[in-house]
Amino acid sequence: MNLEVVGITVLWTFLYGYLIVASIDFGAGFFSYYSYRTKKEHVIQNIIKRYLSPVWEVTNVFLIFFVVGIVGFFPDTAYYYGTALLVPGSVAIILLAIRGSYYAFSTYGTKNKKVYAFLYGATGLLIPASLSTVLTISEGGFIEFKNGTVFFQYDKLFFSLYSWSVVLLAIVSVLYISAMFLTFYAAKANDLPALEIVRKWALIWSAPTIVCSLIVFYSIHLHNPEHFQKMTELSWMFVCSFLFFLAAVYYVWRKKNYGMSFIFVMVQFGFAFYGYGAAHLPYLLYPYLSMNEHFTNKAMAVALIIAFLTGLLLLIPSLFLLMRLFLFNIRYVQGQMHPKGE
């Protein structure tokens, strides 16, 4: 295995971690606002706040590692994607800032107001929608390279079927992943009223996730036939993803093994995410950036791989301790312990 493959695999692993952790976070934000609108906040809010309170500050660590790493391993990505992501990237940063302000106000004593709840819920859908444009742009067709200058075609992005199908998939996937986790978390807390509500949400958003996935497959076939062909060669990964989806939904439908169900959800998205990434190679931005031709020098690559693997080895135990001390601590989950130990 060469350095290029190791580098992109490490980066893709960080991005997968962000996919799971951030999806739970973003979806919880939407469900939090939805519970206010449906007058069920007294049932749902405790479960959501117990999850968010100890983890919201570390959610973006995965994304930061990925952004720093992609520029470090493939320096030319800053030039090409810098122009393309000027608008969606700026929007995502503003939305993340708004979301962070909500966390600060709600955590440190300011009364929750409807406007903050609305912004919290809205950013839970708008952030993944804006970030998903990166995957759309990477398929090519939205950038022109003339006389050494990158020109981004916003009109093509806005009117692209593939672009909107990816945005739709990002939104429904966030809601599905979050609802499945909250189902497990409510069961762990033995909060039966909350469990009944979030379990219904999990089942409701399961079907749209698969439908939107099929729409994305169809739109990739139209937009980038070469990538679609490579995906068909890795079809076994997407079949495995679908089988784990069926297993996860089956357990939730039968009201049992909620923990195993969420593990199946992570494996489901793992197969789909790594299958998509593997089929996309060697291109980082079709057809201008390839993994082999735009990789950094060997010394820098080795240093980055060591640094990122070390960071991953530090991050995983830290997350384990966080889950052990708070998220999956029975006293904390059941509301008998404050995250600061009060």
Side-chain angles (χ1 to χ4, degrees), residues 209-286:
T209 300
I210 293 300
V211 172
C212 291
S213 299
L214 294 175
I215 294 174
V216 168
F217 268 88
Y218 174 73
S219 58
I220 287 181
H221 172 64
L222 298 178
H223 185 81
N224 191 338
E226 181 180 342
H227 186 193
F228 178 79
Q229 178 60 36
K230 291 181 179 179
M231 291 175 70
T232 58
E233 294 171 2
L234 295 172
S235 58
W236 66 271
M237 298 188 73
F238 300 102
V239 171
C240 288
S241 175
F242 180 67
L243 293 177
F244 278 102
F245 162 79
L246 293 178
V249 173
Y250 172 78
Y251 279 139
V252 173
W253 177 60
R254 293 299 301 270
K255 301 182 180 181
K256 63 180 183 179
N257 295 342
Y258 294 115
M260 184 61 67
S261 176
F262 184 69
I263 291 175
F264 286 163
V265 169
M266 291 193 293
V267 176
Q268 168 199 341
F269 278 87
F271 271 111
F273 194 67
Y274 282 93
Y276 169 86
H280 203 290
L281 297 178
Y283 293 107
L284 303 175
L285 173 60
Y286 185 89

Side-chain angles (χ1 to χ4, degrees), residues 88-133:
S90 299
V91 170
I93 291 173
I94 293 172
L95 293 172
L96 286 169
I98 293 173
R99 193 172 184 82
S101 67
Y102 171 86
Y103 289 137
F105 287 131
S106 63
T107 301
Y108 297 110
T110 299
K111 293 182 179 179
N112 292 326
K113 297 181 179 180
K114 291 183 179 179
V115 64
Y116 288 116
F118 170 75
L119 291 174
Y120 183 49
T123 55
L125 300 183
L126 294 176
I127 292 174
S130 60
L131 293 177
S132 68
T133 56

Side-chain angles (χ1 to χ4, degrees), residues 164-184:
W164 288 107
S165 67
V166 172
V167 167
L168 190 60
L169 177 61
I171 292 174
V172 297
S173 296
V174 159
L175 297 176
Y176 167 69
I177 293 173
S178 184
M180 293 294 277
F181 177 83
L182 291 175
T183 300
F184 158 62

Side-chain angles (χ1 to χ4, degrees), residues 3-4 6-7 10 73 295 300-310:
L3 291 176
E4 293 92 335
V6 174
V10 171
F73 282 112
F295 196 61
M300 177 63 78
V302 172
L304 285 171
I305 290 172
I306 293 174
F308 274 74
L309 287 177
T310 303

Side-chain angles (χ1 to χ4, degrees), residues 3-31:
L3 291 176
E4 293 92 335
V5 175
V6 174
I8 197 64
T9 301
V10 171
L11 292 179
W12 206 242
T13 300
F14 274 104
L15 193 59
Y16 170 71
Y18 183 72
L19 166 71
I20 299 299
V21 177
S23 292
I24 299 172
D25 187 345
F26 295 148
F30 173 80
F31 290 133

Side-chain angles (χ1 to χ4, degrees), residues 144-164:
E144 287 188 354
F145 192 67
K146 296 180 179 179
N147 300 321
T149 303
V150 173
F151 294 92
F152 185 68
Q153 300 173 313
Y154 288 99
D155 55 336
K156 284 189 176 181
L157 180 67
F158 186 79
F159 291 105
S160 168
L161 170 64
Y162 176 65
S163 175
W164 288 107

